[in-house]
């Protein structure tokens, strides 16, 4: 009986820690579209597990209920870790793009090895997000009863469209437009 009480207590402590982690992640998650809704869904999942733990005291086998809840809490923790890493990676990608635009615009340090590596890292960053999203989807699939949301970051939206170089026609059109404006 004491062992099952310890298991329930440990699971309750883990659930409490997850709620605190969710509160800490709120600012980062809500910066993204649907982030607030996703946060609420995960909080609901944790709360549902906490309610199951509270009911475990009156269950026939509290240790099996606690083990099931611990398994679910670990799944939520793993899912949240992937989600937080994906958000951090997407933010790093945004900073890398701003840096690249700055370097391209002003030509500052364009030949520096670190800047060249930064330019080349974008596809691997997006692939990393895809990998983490696949892991999150797998976790949500194994624990469907938790109703974990879809990954917050869509790697397809992170891919920048290919910017084409201006053609000769574009150049001629700009020259004509400039000539017309200077004649006025």
């Amino acid at each position: 009986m004491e062992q099952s009480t310890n298991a329930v207590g440990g699971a309750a402590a883990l659930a409490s820690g997850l709620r605190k982690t969710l509160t800490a992640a709120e600012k980062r998650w809500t910066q993204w579209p649907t982030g607030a809704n996703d946060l609420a869904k995960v909080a609901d999942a944790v709360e549902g597990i906490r309610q199951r733990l509270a009911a475990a005291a009156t269950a026939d086998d509290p240790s099996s209920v606690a083990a099931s809840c611990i398994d679910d809490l670990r799944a939520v923790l793993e899912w949240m870790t992937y989600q937080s890493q994906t958000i951090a990676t997407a933010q790093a990608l945004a900073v890398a793009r701003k840096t690249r635009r700055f370097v391209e615009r002003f030509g500052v340090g364009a030949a520096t090895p670190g800047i060249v590596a930064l330019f080349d890292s974008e596809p691997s960053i997006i692939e990393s997000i895809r990998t983490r999203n696949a892991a999150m989807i797998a976790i949500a699939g194994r624990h469907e009863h938790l109703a974990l949301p879809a990954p917050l970051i869509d790697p397809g939206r992170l891919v920048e469209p290919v910017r084409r170089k201006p053609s000769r026609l574009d150049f001629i059109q700009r020259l004509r437009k400039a000539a017309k404006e200077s004649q006025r």
Side-chain angles (χ1 to χ4, degrees):
M1 181 69 178
E2 186 176 318
Q3 184 179 7
S4 63
T5 305
N6 288 340
V8 171
L14 180 57
S16 178
L18 280 177
R19 287 188 53 84
K20 289 179 184 177
T21 303
L22 276 171
T23 303
E26 180 177 7
K27 185 177 180 183
R28 285 173 283 159
W29 286 29
T30 56
Q31 292 176 354
W32 297 89
T34 72
N37 291 337
D38 289 358
L39 189 71
K41 288 177 184 178
V42 176
D44 287 346
V46 172
E47 188 57 34
I49 296 168
R50 286 179 63 159
Q51 290 173 0
R52 284 179 25 218
L53 282 170
T58 59
D60 292 337
D61 188 10
S63 60
S64 68
V65 173
S68 170
C69 290
I70 288 171
D71 183 48
D72 288 345
L73 288 168
R74 285 181 179 161
V76 171
L77 176 61
E78 185 178 5
W79 187 93
M80 286 173 43
T81 302
Y82 282 126
Q83 182 79 293
S84 294
Q85 290 172 350
T86 302
I87 290 170
T89 304
Q91 289 170 337
L93 179 63
V95 170
R97 285 181 175 163
K98 286 179 184 178
T99 304
R100 185 183 71 218
R101 284 187 207 110
F102 177 80
V103 168
E104 287 172 349
R105 185 171 179 193
F106 296 109
V108 180
T112 308
I115 297 297
V116 172
L118 181 66
F119 291 171
D120 295 339
S121 67
E122 190 170 310
S124 64
I125 291 172
I126 292 173
E127 187 58 35
S128 171
I129 291 172
R130 281 192 178 102
T131 302
R132 289 181 180 134
N133 282 356
M136 291 168 60
I137 291 168
I139 292 167
R142 286 191 307 266
H143 299 274
E144 288 181 5
H145 61 283
L146 295 176
L148 295 171
L152 190 56
I153 308 297
D154 178 11
R157 300 182 104 195
L158 294 176
V159 176
E160 277 190 322
V162 176
R163 292 185 285 171
R164 65 177 181 91
K165 290 186 176 183
S167 66
R168 286 186 183 177
L169 179 61
D170 293 332
F171 179 69
I172 292 169
Q173 287 174 344
R174 282 197 328 236
L175 286 175
R176 285 185 179 171
K177 183 178 177 182
K180 284 181 184 177
E181 289 177 1
S182 67
Q183 289 176 357
R184 290 183 189 173

